[in-house]
Amino acid sequence: MTIPTAADFADDAVEASASTPLADQASHHVELMERLERSGRYERPTHTRVFVVANQKGGVGKTTTSVNLAAAMAARGLSVLLIDLDPQGNASTAAAIPHASGTPGTYEVLLDELPIAEAVQTCSDIPALRVVPATIDLAGAEIELVGLEQRERRLRAAIDTYLAGPGSDVDYVFIDCPPSLGLLTINAMVAAREVLIPIQCEYYALEGLSQLLGNIGLVQQHLNADLDVSTILLTMHDARTNLSSSVAAEVRGHFGDRVLATAIPRSVKISEAPGYQQSIITYDPNSTGALSYLEAAREISQRGATPADQGASS
């Protein structure tokens, strides 16, 4: 796919969802695009980075973030695996991946020990993006997993096997979880090395966050000592409101440099994209949302680069 340039964007209408006045907003967007142009292809990490995108609170942009970060990185030359672990299958829909009942996917990987290589599909819009879909069959997996051996480690075993073989070229793995803290999410946390938490810039933003962090702590203590809450992403941000600014300031004050500098704006375009079975990166590359996810992906990739790489890309 073709990533737009600052010149392409300069004469376009600016989506009014970031900051005011409009002239400042346009200037910010052109600056953002120029920065993205200079970055070119994102640097590959020194090792495969496995993220679980988790937040038990619904409606925070978890699936949207999983899909669009994965698409942004794949569009910039990285090899990305997206694992849909939510029975709703919304991440699969957004990546235009067939996921009707019976389609090989995460259910078969977890319950039947199907190799990921036999379930993975390629996104038609972005060939560097591979997806393991979720079907409605996954809805019963929580109960079915209870009686199985190594029930919390089945996804990790599957991912490790894939990365050691046909997926050895994968740079990033993103696991999209359901909005709950059951066995599916625990499998994701055991499989991952890093947690990315999307937090919406709204009144109830931090509601339930202490419970999520407590459960992450339990996983660290008993199942995966390597798990780290490495990244916080602010979503549904509207710089025109005091509420967004105050929530963002509170989150940054609590989590420090774990919070990405880039915040994802509240955007109609981002909401529309899944309806066309696309990520915002392909649906409207000039939009505020696409630029923000591309920049957030650049930040994440820069944090995973070697010191020499970071110096070269700054």
Side-chain angles (χ1 to χ4, degrees), residues 57-95:
K57 190 174 185 303
V60 301
K62 180 170 51 59
T63 295
T64 300
T65 292
S66 300
V67 171
N68 288 311
L69 284 178
M73 290 184 168
R76 283 303 178 98
L78 298 175
S79 178
V80 183
L81 175 66
L82 173 63
I83 298 177
D84 191 350
L85 209 59
D86 189 337
Q88 297 179 84
N90 291 335
S92 305
T93 297

Coordinates of all heavy atoms in Angstrom, one line a residue, residues 57-95:
K57 N -12.1 -3.4 30.9 CA -13.2 -2.4 30.6 C -13.5 -2.4 29.1 O -12.6 -2.3 28.3 CB -12.8 -1.1 31.1 CG -13.9 0.0 31.1 CD -13.4 1.3 31.8 CE -14.6 2.2 31.9 NZ -15.3 2.5 30.6
G58 N -14.7 -2.6 28.8 CA -15.1 -2.5 27.4 C -15.1 -1.1 26.8 O -15.2 -0.1 27.5
G59 N -15.0 -1.0 25.5 CA -15.2 0.3 24.8 C -14.0 1.2 25.0 O -14.2 2.4 24.8
V60 N -12.8 0.7 25.2 CA -11.7 1.6 25.4 C -10.8 1.6 24.2 O -9.8 2.3 24.1 CB -10.8 1.1 26.6 CG1 -11.6 1.1 27.9 CG2 -10.2 -0.3 26.4
G61 N -11.2 0.9 23.1 CA -10.4 0.9 21.9 C -9.3 -0.2 21.8 O -8.3 -0.1 21.2
K62 N -9.6 -1.3 22.5 CA -8.6 -2.4 22.6 C -8.5 -3.1 21.3 O -7.3 -3.2 20.8 CB -9.1 -3.4 23.7 CG -8.2 -4.5 24.0 CD -8.6 -5.3 25.2 CE -10.1 -5.6 25.2 NZ -10.6 -6.4 24.1
T63 N -9.6 -3.5 20.7 CA -9.5 -4.2 19.4 C -9.0 -3.2 18.3 O -8.2 -3.6 17.5 CB -10.8 -4.8 19.0 OG1 -11.2 -5.9 20.0 CG2 -10.8 -5.4 17.6
T64 N -9.5 -2.0 18.4 CA -9.1 -1.0 17.4 C -7.6 -0.8 17.5 O -7.0 -0.7 16.4 CB -9.9 0.3 17.7 OG1 -11.3 0.1 17.6 CG2 -9.5 1.4 16.7
T65 N -7.1 -0.7 18.7 CA -5.7 -0.5 18.9 C -4.9 -1.7 18.4 O -3.8 -1.6 17.7 CB -5.4 -0.2 20.3 OG1 -5.9 1.0 20.7 CG2 -3.9 -0.2 20.6
S66 N -5.3 -2.9 18.7 CA -4.6 -4.1 18.2 C -4.5 -4.1 16.7 O -3.4 -4.4 16.2 CB -5.4 -5.4 18.7 OG -5.5 -5.4 20.1
V67 N -5.6 -3.9 16.1 CA -5.7 -4.0 14.6 C -4.8 -2.9 14.0 O -4.0 -3.2 13.1 CB -7.1 -3.9 14.1 CG1 -7.2 -3.8 12.6 CG2 -7.9 -5.2 14.5
N68 N -5.0 -1.7 14.4 CA -4.4 -0.6 13.8 C -2.9 -0.4 14.0 O -2.1 0.0 13.2 CB -5.1 0.7 14.1 CG -6.5 0.8 13.4 OD1 -6.6 0.6 12.2 ND2 -7.5 1.1 14.2
L69 N -2.4 -0.8 15.2 CA -1.0 -0.9 15.5 C -0.3 -2.0 14.6 O 0.7 -1.8 14.0 CB -0.7 -1.1 17.0 CG -0.9 0.1 17.9 CD1 -0.6 -0.4 19.3 CD2 0.0 1.2 17.5
A70 N -1.0 -3.1 14.6 CA -0.5 -4.2 13.7 C -0.4 -3.8 12.3 O 0.6 -4.0 11.6 CB -1.4 -5.5 13.9
A71 N -1.5 -3.2 11.8 CA -1.5 -2.7 10.4 C -0.5 -1.7 10.1 O 0.2 -1.6 9.1 CB -2.9 -2.2 10.0
A72 N -0.3 -0.7 11.1 CA 0.6 0.4 10.9 C 2.0 -0.2 10.8 O 2.8 0.2 9.9 CB 0.5 1.4 12.0
M73 N 2.4 -1.1 11.6 CA 3.7 -1.7 11.6 C 4.0 -2.5 10.3 O 5.0 -2.4 9.7 CB 4.0 -2.5 12.8 CG 4.1 -1.7 14.1 SD 4.5 -2.7 15.5 CE 5.0 -1.4 16.7
A74 N 3.0 -3.3 9.9 CA 3.1 -4.1 8.7 C 3.2 -3.2 7.5 O 3.9 -3.5 6.5 CB 1.9 -5.0 8.6
A75 N 2.5 -2.1 7.5 CA 2.5 -1.2 6.3 C 3.9 -0.5 6.2 O 4.3 -0.1 5.1 CB 1.4 -0.1 6.5
R76 N 4.6 -0.5 7.3 CA 5.9 0.2 7.3 C 7.1 -0.9 7.2 O 8.2 -0.6 7.6 CB 6.1 1.1 8.5 CG 5.3 2.4 8.4 CD 5.8 3.2 7.1 NE 5.2 4.4 6.9 CZ 5.7 5.6 7.3 NH1 6.8 5.7 7.9 NH2 5.0 6.7 7.0
G77 N 6.8 -2.0 6.8 CA 7.8 -3.0 6.5 C 8.2 -4.0 7.5 O 9.1 -4.8 7.3
L78 N 7.4 -4.1 8.6 CA 7.7 -5.1 9.6 C 6.7 -6.3 9.4 O 5.7 -6.1 8.8 CB 7.4 -4.5 11.0 CG 8.3 -3.3 11.4 CD1 7.9 -2.8 12.8 CD2 9.8 -3.8 11.5
S79 N 7.2 -7.4 9.9 CA 6.3 -8.6 9.8 C 5.6 -8.8 11.1 O 6.2 -8.8 12.2 CB 7.2 -9.8 9.5 OG 6.5 -11.0 9.5
V80 N 4.2 -8.8 11.0 CA 3.4 -8.8 12.2 C 2.4 -9.9 12.2 O 1.8 -10.3 11.2 CB 2.6 -7.4 12.2 CG1 1.8 -7.3 13.5 CG2 3.6 -6.3 12.1
L81 N 2.2 -10.5 13.4 CA 1.2 -11.5 13.6 C 0.2 -11.0 14.6 O 0.5 -10.6 15.7 CB 1.8 -12.8 14.2 CG 0.9 -13.9 14.6 CD1 0.2 -14.5 13.3 CD2 1.6 -15.0 15.3
L82 N -1.1 -11.0 14.1 CA -2.2 -10.5 15.0 C -3.0 -11.8 15.4 O -3.5 -12.5 14.5 CB -3.1 -9.5 14.2 CG -4.4 -9.1 14.9 CD1 -4.1 -8.4 16.2 CD2 -5.2 -8.2 14.0
I83 N -3.2 -12.0 16.7 CA -3.9 -13.1 17.2 C -5.2 -12.6 17.8 O -5.2 -11.9 18.8 CB -3.1 -13.9 18.2 CG1 -1.9 -14.5 17.5 CG2 -4.0 -15.1 18.8 CD1 -1.0 -15.3 18.5
D84 N -6.3 -13.0 17.2 CA -7.7 -12.6 17.7 C -8.1 -13.6 18.7 O -8.4 -14.8 18.4 CB -8.6 -12.6 16.5 CG -10.0 -11.9 16.9 OD1 -10.2 -11.7 18.1 OD2 -10.8 -11.6 16.0
L85 N -8.2 -13.2 20.0 CA -8.6 -14.1 21.1 C -9.9 -13.7 21.6 O -10.3 -14.1 22.7 CB -7.5 -14.1 22.2 CG -7.3 -15.3 23.0 CD1 -7.0 -16.5 22.1 CD2 -6.2 -15.1 24.1
D86 N -10.7 -12.9 20.9 CA -12.0 -12.4 21.4 C -13.1 -13.2 20.5 O -13.1 -13.1 19.3 CB -12.1 -10.9 21.2 CG -13.4 -10.3 21.8 OD1 -14.4 -11.1 22.0 OD2 -13.4 -9.1 22.1
P87 N -14.0 -13.9 21.2 CA -15.0 -14.6 20.5 C -15.8 -13.8 19.5 O -16.4 -14.3 18.6 CB -15.9 -15.2 21.6 CG -15.0 -15.3 22.8 CD -14.1 -14.1 22.7
Q88 N -15.9 -12.5 19.7 CA -16.6 -11.6 18.8 C -16.0 -11.5 17.5 O -16.6 -11.2 16.5 CB -16.8 -10.2 19.4 CG -17.5 -10.2 20.7 CD -17.6 -8.8 21.3 OE1 -18.5 -8.0 20.9 NE2 -16.7 -8.5 22.2
G89 N -14.7 -11.8 17.4 CA -14.0 -11.8 16.1 C -13.9 -10.4 15.5 O -13.7 -10.4 14.2
N90 N -13.9 -9.3 16.2 CA -13.9 -8.0 15.6 C -12.6 -7.7 14.9 O -12.5 -7.0 13.9 CB -14.2 -6.9 16.6 CG -15.7 -7.0 17.1 OD1 -16.6 -7.5 16.3 ND2 -16.0 -6.5 18.3
A91 N -11.5 -8.2 15.5 CA -10.2 -7.9 14.9 C -10.1 -8.7 13.6 O -9.5 -8.2 12.6 CB -9.1 -8.4 15.9
S92 N -10.6 -9.9 13.5 CA -10.6 -10.6 12.3 C -11.4 -9.9 11.2 O -11.0 -9.8 10.0 CB -11.2 -12.0 12.5 OG -10.6 -12.7 13.5
T93 N -12.6 -9.3 11.6 CA -13.4 -8.6 10.7 C -12.7 -7.4 10.1 O -12.7 -7.1 8.9 CB -14.7 -8.1 11.4 OG1 -15.5 -9.2 11.8 CG2 -15.6 -7.3 10.4
A94 N -12.0 -6.6 11.0 CA -11.3 -5.4 10.6 C -10.2 -5.7 9.7 O -9.8 -4.9 8.8 CB -10.8 -4.6 11.8
A95 N -9.6 -6.9 9.8 CA -8.5 -7.3 8.9 C -9.0 -8.0 7.6 O -8.2 -8.6 6.9 CB -7.5 -8.1 9.6

